[in-house]
Amino acid sequence: MKRMDAFNLEKVSQIQKTNEKSREELKPIREDFEGKNKQLLDEMPEFYNSRIDYFQPSFEALIQTQVAYFTEMHKIFTELMDQNEQGELTDEHRKQVNEMKRF
């Protein structure tokens, strides 16, 4: 029985040493993680709030492009309608104009 107790104590001692060694190896990793986590927690609100500064110019450019496109399309469509009314279009063009009117 004493032999088993000595064996168990030896095993427990080895396990405790292994645990202490593992904890020591874990310290720098934990410190690195905590530092990066703190940095993320500090920077994330600023990053989140800057999304408007990023997206606003993109949306403005998209809207300006759409305005330019539809303005030009309106101009072309108006010219086509004038030509259609004056009878300057071929039958194929008239057919295409009538199809566009449906939209």
Side-chain angles (χ1 to χ4, degrees), residues 73-88:
M73 289 300 103
H74 181 266
K75 180 180 158 186
I76 291 170
F77 184 72
T78 303
E79 289 174 6
L80 282 175
M81 292 303 295
D82 290 343
Q83 289 176 4
N84 185 34
E85 290 173 3
Q86 295 173 3
E88 298 175 5

Side-chain angles (χ1 to χ4, degrees), residues 50-65:
S50 69
R51 73 192 186 284
I52 294 171
D53 295 335
Y54 175 78
F55 285 113
Q56 186 174 359
S58 300
F59 287 133
E60 284 178 7
L62 174 66
I63 291 168
Q64 289 173 352
T65 303

Side-chain angles (χ1 to χ4, degrees), residues 37-51:
N37 188 49
K38 183 180 182 318
Q39 181 183 4
L40 278 173
L41 291 173
D42 291 342
E43 292 176 359
M44 199 58 131
E46 182 181 331
F47 175 73
Y48 180 76
N49 290 332
S50 69
R51 73 192 186 284

Side-chain angles (χ1 to χ4, degrees), residues 10 16 27-28 33 40 53 57 67 75 93 103:
E10 186 178 317
Q16 286 176 339
K27 273 185 182 179
F33 169 79
L40 278 173
D53 295 335
V67 167
K75 180 180 158 186
H93 288 123
F103 294 109

